[in-house]
Amino acid sequence: MLETQKEFMITVSCIILLILTTIFLFNRSILVLAARNIIKNKRRTFILLCVIVSGLAGLMLFFGFADDSLHGLREATISSGLGHIQVYQKGYRAAAMPDKINFNIPNYREIVGIFESDAELKKYVKGMAADLDMSGLIAGHGKSTVFVGKGVDTQNFKVMNAGDEITEGKPLEHTDVFVKPEQKELTNEFEEMFEGFPVPGQDGAEKKDAPKDDKPKQEIWKDSTIEKRAANAEAAMDDALLGDGLKNALNAKLGDALTLVVSTKSGALNALDINVRGVILGVETSYNDTIVKIPMQYAWKLMGREDVSKICILLHKTEFLDLAYRRVQELVKEKNLNLETSTWVEEARMYQKVSSLLHDIFGSISFIIVLVVTFSIANAMMMSVMERTREIGTLRALGNTKNEILRLFMTEGFVIGLMGGVLSMVVGIAISIFMNDVVGGIPMAPPPGTSKAFIAHFRVVNNPLIWCITFNLAVFAAFISSILPAKKASNMEIVESIRYV
Amino acid sequence: MPQDSSNYVVELKDVTKKYQLGKTEVHALRGVSLAIAKGEFTTLVGESGSGKTTTLDIIGGLGKPSTGKLFIDGEDITVYNDKRLAYFRRKNIGFIFQTFNLIEVYTAYENIAHSLQLLKMPEKEIKKQVYDIMEKIGLGKFINHRPNELSGGQRQRVAIARALVKNPKIIIADEPTANLDSETGANILKLMQQLNKDLGATFIVATHSAQVVQVAKRVFKLRDGALIDSYTNK
């Protein structure tokens, strides 16, 4: 079941539960008597409401905080090039890491064309781009380390990668006009490093993985130099963005030439120089420590192939995910495409971990708060039962049944819960507005595994799910806690209780 | 005991009541048999612990006898379960307690109306009947007063009105004048007599008061849980 469907189901079931409880309890004279007793015991009611409100408004704020953190993480993850929906060649996701390359999409332009021309999908889609995954070694300034690279579509780069903060330099820009590349020999340093490894096009190297290029293979190996844009030289084919951590690890600076070394499909090594155009800072530390993004054409040249790992689809709003995803799946089926699809949630492991952690914490805190609220209300109601022993006896003598006495006290619990639920929502919303708009949020250090400090806000105001949860927890806690005292009240001996002093 | 049982609204046959008080078994009633005719003003007299209140509780369906039978209008109510007893009480029994036992959060009107609401009477009818009885007991002006805004005598009048408004077969009153000063007690007694005459309701009153015993038509005397005497006042 998708996330929005789950939320909808929770909301609807809570409302149904509330309506059923109201119907079960509703009896005018019982309601009047319950309400009068609640009003009569003002101090006790006030204390009970304080207990409920302090617990549940706090819970509401925590939920709002967690939701805001998750929302931020979600949007940052989606807009770091991942998109909302990913489309792969069938078998890609199940394949082991080294074998994934065998499941790249060769006809991606045709597939993108199908998606782009669909009128329904068009309503939801903000941008679409293919990328090519790769990994290998990056070297420069006498240092080398591993990198996880992406060949990216420069045309849609800014749209698809808006979540990557450019901390230095400029983002990748689209260019399709190149000057004639100048030749550059492999540096001595790298010749020494890869001495003995097969070089594409040379004897012993696998030839079938070589790029579909008219140039001789030896030429491509050496054609690792900058291809500058003709007119203003603003964008170049070998421009690259480095993760912030990776830049620090290599002591790289803007404009530095670094070398990427990768293994091609056949296992042969290939290397190309890149020019550091900018430094990016994503959410995850591991991402920042390894990421290199280069234009797709250059990635093809490096990898010796012209296909892509996946097609990423970015939507105008994450709320469109269910509809858009369903349409993508329909298109894949209708056109009989050999593709598989996934949503961002399945790909975002960091998000999954953080989400799971926050949900566990939220669950535990909710449980404790509900327990405290339940016991507090139960204690107060038990006192109320003792104080009203004679009233209970009188009502029983007048002809009220045990069940009616039970309902009377459960109605009191329910009414206190309703009042507590409404007040908790009002107080929670008021505090969240104050914290967000007046205080401006709470500055937070980067959570474990992430690299960005952030300002925490409380997503409470436009969050009906949390209103629903808070309100229902208040009613639930008050209602549950009233069962035992109500049971005690209904089972009192009439003859003893009518003469209780 | 009279011969024709169809005239009796209450018949107790060899009723005993035992209960545990710690490790001691207390015999509250020891084979009490009595019959009360419809519309009679009856008193149960005896010292404290003689079994008056226990007898009233059993007649009112508040407790069950350990052994013996209780017939109300010819029907054995000792076989009723708790729910049926509650329905029986709401229709057939009106209670007047020594300590008034009004619902504190209700007004005088609501206290009286509650008995009729339990009978699912329409609101319009309830209003009419409550206003009528409030006028009869002379508390028309206090209809919206809460019990804590009324004097002891006024509270007991409201309690009497609550017991009578549903026109029950039996009115059970446990020491109704004990918490009132003598003048107020006399007024309450006069009121009960008047209502007994006007409405024809059967009154069963447990009392220590000689004044009450004097006005009762029939008197049952209890001692140590046993009926020791009964007589009719002329």
Side-chain angles (χ1 to χ4, degrees):
Chain A
M1 196 184 284
L2 295 167
E3 204 65 20
T4 47
Q5 284 175 319
K6 263 189 210 167
E7 291 180 5
F8 179 73
M9 290 303 289
I10 292 172
T11 311
V12 168
S13 47
C14 286
I15 291 168
I16 290 172
L17 197 69
L18 202 64
I19 291 169
L20 287 178
T21 315
T22 311
I23 291 168
F24 165 71
L25 290 174
F26 191 77
N27 175 303
R28 192 174 162 271
S29 60
I30 287 179
L31 199 61
V32 168
L33 188 55
R36 293 269 176 85
N37 273 304
I38 289 168
I39 295 164
K40 184 189 165 199
N41 297 304
K42 286 187 191 75
R43 197 182 307 163
R44 184 180 302 148
T45 305
F46 176 74
I47 291 169
L48 278 181
L49 290 177
C50 285
V51 170
I52 296 174
V53 170
S54 58
L56 290 168
L59 192 68
M60 194 175 187
L61 290 170
F62 175 73
F63 190 101
F65 163 75
D67 198 44
D68 183 68
S69 305
L70 281 178
H71 182 267
L73 186 59
R74 178 184 86 180
E75 295 306 319
T77 307
I78 289 167
S79 57
S80 63
L82 181 64
H84 290 89
I85 300 167
Q86 298 76 43
V87 180
Y88 302 92
Q89 188 81 358
K90 210 165 246 174
Y92 182 93
R93 297 179 70 219
M97 191 54 85
D99 300 329
K100 282 190 186 293
I101 203 161
N102 297 322
F103 293 92
N104 278 2
I105 307 171
N107 58 334
Y108 77 96
R109 278 187 226 277
E110 181 195 330
I111 295 160
V112 168
I114 290 170
F115 290 152
E116 279 180 343
S117 61
D118 184 73
E120 194 189 334
L121 196 58
K122 221 175 201 173
K123 288 188 282 185
Y124 312 122
V125 173
K126 188 177 182 184
M128 212 178 289
D131 67 34
L132 176 62
D133 293 335
M134 57 192 164
S135 58
L137 284 172
I138 181 167
H141 301 295
K143 292 180 178 179
S144 66
T145 184
V146 289
F147 78 95
V148 174
K150 271 186 192 305
V152 294
D153 180 353
T154 48
Q155 203 153 16
N156 278 334
F157 181 80
K158 285 178 189 168
V159 175
M160 299 296 291
N161 295 270
D164 285 341
E165 185 189 341
I166 305 284
T167 56
E168 290 177 50
K170 291 178 175 179
L172 293 180
E173 290 200 19
H174 181 64
T175 176
D176 43 25
V177 185
F178 295 106
V179 294
K180 190 170 178 256
E182 56 181 87
Q183 302 269 309
K184 185 185 169 189
E185 294 294 328
L186 193 66
T187 61
N188 288 339
E189 188 184 350
F190 269 84
E191 277 175 342
E192 281 163 24
M193 189 185 290
F194 299 109
E195 200 174 4
F197 281 82
V199 174
Q202 287 185 335
D203 289 343
E206 184 64 58
K207 290 185 180 179
K208 67 174 178 181
D209 301 331
K212 292 167 188 168
D213 203 315
D214 294 330
K215 296 171 186 174
K217 308 304 169 199
Q218 184 64 33
E219 213 175 303
I220 290 169
W221 168 243
K222 289 188 173 180
D223 184 16
S224 59
T225 185
I226 305 163
E227 299 173 60
K228 296 286 182 192
R229 185 185 270 198
N232 51 19
E234 271 191 354
M237 195 182 187
D238 69 339
D239 278 347
L241 297 181
L242 253 59
D244 183 65
L246 186 59
K247 182 214 84 170
N248 292 336
L250 294 170
N251 283 333
K253 295 188 297 295
L254 292 181
D256 278 0
L258 304 172
T259 305
L260 301 181
V261 183
V262 297
S263 146
T264 61
K265 188 178 179 180
S266 63
L269 287 175
N270 198 8
L272 282 179
D273 277 359
I274 53 165
N275 171 49
V276 180
R277 180 178 168 83
V279 177
I280 53 176
L281 187 68
V283 178
E284 295 179 40
T285 312
S286 58
Y287 174 84
N288 296 326
D289 288 348
T290 54
I291 191 70
V292 174
K293 290 187 178 179
I294 59 174
M296 185 65 85
Q297 293 97 321
Y298 207 56
W300 284 336
K301 189 168 276 192
L302 179 63
M303 296 295 287
R305 54 196 308 143
E306 283 194 15
D307 51 17
V308 299
S309 306
K310 62 178 178 290
I311 297 163
C312 302
I313 302 171
L314 183 74
L315 308 174
H316 288 293
K317 283 181 181 175
T318 305
E319 286 68 29
F320 294 154
L321 182 61
D322 296 356
L323 296 167
Y325 189 60
R326 200 172 299 139
R327 186 62 196 145
V328 168
Q329 285 178 315
E330 282 169 5
L331 283 173
V332 169
K333 208 173 174 184
E334 278 170 21
K335 307 284 179 186
N336 204 21
L337 300 169
N338 186 33
L339 298 172
E340 60 186 16
T341 55
S342 72
T343 63
W344 69 273
V345 183
E346 297 163 69
E347 304 298 319
R349 290 197 196 94
M350 178 72 178
Y351 177 87
Q352 286 174 0
K353 281 181 193 169
V354 174
S355 171
S356 162
L357 177 73
L358 285 175
H359 278 107
D360 287 350
I361 294 172
F362 181 73
S364 312
I365 292 178
S366 304
F367 179 73
I368 293 165
I369 287 176
V370 169
L371 211 64
V372 170
V373 169
T374 302
F375 279 116
S376 304
I377 298 172
N379 183 44
M381 289 204 64
M382 201 61 101
M383 282 166 61
S384 172
V385 167
M386 296 311 291
E387 283 172 15
R388 287 160 60 193
T389 299
R390 189 189 287 184
E391 178 189 315
I392 294 162
T394 306
L395 288 170
R396 293 278 285 124
L398 292 175
N400 281 100
T401 60
K402 278 186 177 184
N403 187 39
E404 284 165 343
I405 300 297
L406 187 86
R407 281 165 68 190
L408 168 66
F409 281 88
M410 285 173 81
T411 302
E412 283 193 32
F414 187 65
V415 171
I416 287 172
L418 287 177
M419 291 163 70
V422 171
L423 275 175
S424 299
M425 287 199 301
V426 171
V427 171
I429 289 170
I431 294 175
S432 75
I433 290 172
F434 177 78
M435 292 304 292
N436 292 344
D437 300 344
V438 180
V439 179
I442 303 171
M444 302 290 290
T450 66
S451 51
K452 283 185 178 176
F454 66 102
I455 304 289
H457 288 92
F458 301 93
R459 283 174 64 83
V460 168
V461 176
N462 295 318
N463 202 339
L465 179 69
I466 187 182
W467 300 4
C468 189
I469 290 176
T470 306
F471 183 74
N472 280 285
L473 276 180
V475 176
F476 172 78
F479 186 66
I480 290 292
S481 59
S482 67
I483 291 175
L484 201 65
K487 197 92 186 142
K488 186 178 168 64
S490 67
N491 284 327
M492 278 181 173
E493 283 292 326
I494 308 172
V495 289
E496 286 167 22
S497 49
I498 47 173
R499 297 181 184 95
Y500 183 84
V501 182
Chain B
M1 191 175 286
Q3 299 299 306
D4 184 5
S5 65
S6 64
N7 284 334
Y8 301 128
V9 68
V10 178
E11 277 187 273
L12 263 72
K13 289 190 175 172
D14 204 18
V15 168
T16 66
K17 179 72 180 177
K18 289 182 279 187
Y19 57 88
Q20 286 294 128
L21 196 65
K23 286 180 182 175
T24 318
E25 192 175 62
V26 178
H27 293 260
L29 291 180
R30 303 163 188 265
V32 173
S33 295
L34 58 84
I36 298 166
K38 279 176 192 161
E40 262 186 355
F41 195 106
T42 311
T43 59
L44 300 177
V45 294
E47 292 167 2
S48 293
S50 60
K52 303 186 297 292
T53 299
T54 309
T55 308
L56 284 187
D57 288 344
I58 287 172
I59 294 171
L62 300 179
K64 284 187 175 184
S66 302
T67 60
K69 295 283 180 193
L70 165 64
F71 295 92
I72 303 289
D73 244 1
E75 199 166 344
D76 182 5
I77 69 160
T78 54
V79 296
Y80 285 6
N81 64 16
D82 195 84
K83 192 174 179 180
R84 204 164 165 204
L85 266 181
Y87 286 123
F88 164 79
R89 285 194 301 271
R90 73 170 61 164
K91 196 173 172 210
N92 298 304
I93 312 286
F95 289 97
I96 301 166
F97 301 101
Q98 181 180 343
T99 46
F100 324 128
N101 288 47
L102 297 176
I103 308 295
E104 290 295 315
V105 291
Y106 276 168
T107 60
Y109 174 90
E110 287 164 339
N111 264 290
I112 299 165
H114 182 80
S115 297
L116 300 177
Q117 281 161 350
L118 286 175
L119 296 172
K120 314 272 183 221
M121 196 176 272
E123 273 304 315
K124 211 172 166 184
E125 185 65 16
I126 292 175
K127 198 170 178 182
K128 185 180 172 298
Q129 295 215 21
V130 174
Y131 274 87
D132 280 356
I133 197 103
M134 287 291 279
E135 286 302 326
K136 259 184 199 139
I137 61 166
L139 284 179
K141 284 190 285 183
F142 299 93
I143 204 142
N144 289 319
H145 284 58
R146 294 264 166 92
N148 60 2
E149 296 162 343
L150 300 171
S151 69
Q154 286 169 331
R155 285 185 213 184
Q156 195 60 301
R157 279 165 186 266
V158 174
I160 292 168
R162 179 178 66 182
L164 281 164
V165 73
K166 61 187 176 185
N167 204 16
K169 287 178 182 163
I170 304 160
I171 308 285
I172 287 174
D174 190 6
E175 305 277 7
T177 56
N179 268 14
L180 304 172
D181 60 70
S182 56
E183 191 189 334
T184 312
N187 287 337
I188 289 293
L189 183 61
K190 207 179 279 176
L191 178 69
M192 288 199 296
Q193 266 184 294
Q194 186 64 43
L195 292 169
N196 170 243
K197 206 177 282 176
D198 293 350
L199 304 173
T202 308
F203 274 74
I204 307 171
V205 185
T207 186
H208 283 109
S209 161
Q211 211 179 358
V212 179
V213 175
Q214 271 176 0
V215 303
K217 187 174 181 195
R218 196 162 169 79
V219 180
F220 293 99
K221 203 167 180 182
L222 294 157
R223 183 186 293 159
D224 298 332
L227 184 67
I228 54 162
D229 190 17
S230 70
Y231 57 90
T232 306
N233 279 330
K234 287 179 182 170

